[in-house]
Amino acid sequence: MTATTAATGSRRRTARRRDEFDPTPWPVALLCGAGGGFCALLAFPPYDLWMLLPVAIALLCAGLLVRSAWLAGLVSLLWGLGLFIPLTAWASTYAGTTPWIALGVFEALYIVVFGLLARTVMVRRGLCFSSAIIVSALWVAIETLRSSAPWGGLPWGASAFALAKSPLLHLSPWIGIAGLAFVVALLGQLLLFGALAVLGRRRRGFTGFSGVWPFAIAVAAVLVTVVVPHPVNRAPVDRPTMTIAAIQGSMSEIDPVSYTMPDDVFSNHLAVTEDVLDRTEQNTTALDLIVWPEDSTGWDPRQDPQLAQQLTTAAQRADAPILVGTQVRVGEDERLNQSVLFTPEHTTPYAYSKRHPVPFGEYIPMRGLFSRLSDKVDLVSLDMIPGRRSG
């Protein structure tokens, strides 16, 4: 008798949770998925409408509140496709259209995993503070997984990267990228709770006009971040400061057929360096280091005596080493993306190889498979391999 009573009570509690909100009609759910993905896209550069990212997450979660798990998966897929296919358009430059679309679809599958897990939490636990915390943690977990697997992951489209012009960025020194993702997801949950209440779709908790409270809490939370102080980050008292010149020499347009680097990259950076040295000599400014950007010398200048001598001469004039970015061949079909230090003493004592090359941009994973889908993968003729040591 006791077991029967407990089972009956359990069924009633489950029913109450399921009846806490009205399920989203399937046409509306699909619109939430597609519209939410578009809102997420607008949150990132070049649009920078960061405030739409919590809205996008709220729309995704609203679309998940359907009776069918299959429909929830489709809603999640639409959301992911709406964000990742246009956001990864750069992949088509080398890999071609088909691999680019495949990359966008693959990234969208992570959102499907999140959607199915989040729906389970919201349906079984109800729409409460604890479920909001769990769903937000799931959002962080899926972003972390997407940023690390497979092929080293692809953090492109991580929530924090949409917040460059947001006051939420004041939180970043304290909570990092994962913390920002959690905050954005939690704001999305608050917007969801408020919207369901105002629209009359909630039957417990925040209902009716009381739904303005989650909206007010979300807005207040963002406003509070405006006055969040930056952590104290003073230079150690026992270490001197450095004066560094950062060089950006630009280049001509990349060949639209071969996508090879223009020949004027090195000369442009050298010319800008000479201009900087002219100004520092006039201002009697002593430089400690000159930094050139990634891939600013074409192929390895250590293998070209003329280029190496020009870098050494510039370093001698500045009386400071120059850190340059270059490409280094490894065998017949691989390369390294390196930073190499050229000193005034005509030595190169330090070199660092990039440890996380970008798939479909700097190397083609599963080249045999993707070469069957598009011949444009051959434009990345040398796959970049990861460095093994930290710099």
Side-chain angles (χ1 to χ4, degrees):
M1 186 65 178
T2 303
T4 303
T5 302
T8 302
S10 177
R11 285 195 297 270
R12 286 175 179 173
R13 287 193 296 271
T14 302
R16 282 199 298 270
R17 291 192 188 104
R18 291 182 179 276
D19 293 338
E20 182 182 347
F21 52 85
D22 295 329
T24 305
W26 70 265
V28 177
L30 295 178
L31 286 175
C32 286
F38 182 67
C39 287
L41 175 66
L42 295 180
F44 289 90
Y47 313 104
D48 290 316
L49 301 176
W50 64 267
M51 69 292 299
L52 291 181
L53 189 55
V55 174
I57 296 175
L59 286 172
L60 171 59
C61 292
L64 296 175
L65 299 178
V66 292
R67 298 187 183 279
S68 167
W70 288 101
L71 180 57
L74 180 58
V75 169
S76 305
L77 181 62
L78 288 176
W79 196 98
L81 294 176
L83 170 63
F84 288 112
I85 286 184
L87 199 65
T88 58
W90 50 266
S92 65
T93 301
Y94 293 114
T97 301
T98 301
W100 158 44
I101 299 299
L103 175 63
V105 172
F106 186 83
E107 294 298 304
L109 294 179
Y110 287 97
I111 304 301
V112 175
V113 175
F114 165 79
L116 295 177
L117 294 175
R119 176 184 179 273
T120 301
V121 172
M122 291 187 292
V123 170
R124 293 188 177 183
R125 296 185 60 87
L127 301 180
C128 56
F129 181 72
S130 62
S131 68
I133 294 295
I134 295 174
V135 169
S136 300
L138 284 173
W139 181 260
V140 176
I142 293 300
E143 277 203 353
T144 302
L145 177 65
R146 189 171 63 81
S147 300
S148 56
W151 309 314
L154 187 66
W156 208 265
S159 300
F161 299 161
L163 304 178
K165 297 183 179 180
S166 166
L168 295 175
L169 198 65
H170 293 159
L171 298 174
S172 61
W174 301 100
I175 62 178
I177 289 179
L180 288 175
F182 182 87
V183 169
V184 169
L186 190 57
L187 290 175
Q189 289 289 291
L190 289 172
L191 296 182
L192 172 68
F193 292 178
L196 292 178
V198 171
L199 295 174
R201 291 185 51 208
R202 290 200 68 176
R203 302 181 184 179
R204 290 195 302 118
F206 290 107
T207 58
F209 191 69
S210 65
V212 299
W213 282 108
F215 290 142
I217 294 171
V219 173
V222 174
L223 293 177
V224 166
T225 62
V226 174
V227 296
V228 171
H230 283 249
V232 177
N233 189 25
R234 298 188 182 96
V237 294
D238 57 339
R239 294 184 182 181
T241 59
M242 294 182 67
T243 302
I244 302 174
I247 306 299
Q248 182 59 270
S250 191
M251 63 183 185
S252 303
E253 292 185 5
I254 295 177
D255 187 288
V257 177
S258 64
Y259 293 103
T260 56
M261 294 293 290
D263 294 332
D264 60 358
V265 174
F266 181 88
S267 58
N268 285 352
H269 283 80
L270 188 62
V272 172
T273 301
E274 296 292 341
D275 291 340
V276 169
L277 294 180
D278 289 340
R279 292 200 299 271
T280 57
E281 289 172 357
Q282 293 174 2
N283 300 331
T284 64
T285 301
L287 294 176
D288 297 300
L289 177 66
I290 299 173
V291 179
W292 286 20
E294 181 182 42
D295 207 11
S296 53
T297 64
W299 291 105
D300 190 355
R302 290 170 294 184
Q303 306 301 319
D304 188 321
Q306 183 178 0
L307 298 185
Q309 183 57 52
Q310 292 181 74
L311 288 170
T312 300
T313 300
Q316 290 172 344
R317 180 184 172 188
D319 194 23
I322 302 177
L323 185 67
V324 303
T326 188
Q327 302 285 316
V328 178
R329 287 182 180 269
V330 179
E332 295 297 324
D333 53 4
E334 293 178 327
R335 60 190 167 121
L336 288 167
N337 188 344
Q338 280 195 346
S339 294
V340 181
L341 193 72
F342 280 79
T343 70
E345 292 77 24
H346 197 64
T347 62
T348 54
Y350 301 110
Y352 167 75
S353 299
K354 183 175 181 178
R355 300 172 68 191
H356 298 286
V358 179
F360 299 100
E362 295 175 325
Y363 76 100
I364 304 297
M366 302 172 64
R367 181 179 285 269
L369 171 62
F370 287 110
S371 63
R372 297 174 184 174
L373 301 177
S374 172
D375 58 359
K376 291 191 72 175
V377 300
D378 293 333
L379 293 175
V380 184
S381 57
L382 300 176
D383 282 327
M384 188 177 294
I385 57 176
R388 300 301 180 186
R389 294 186 297 175
S390 59

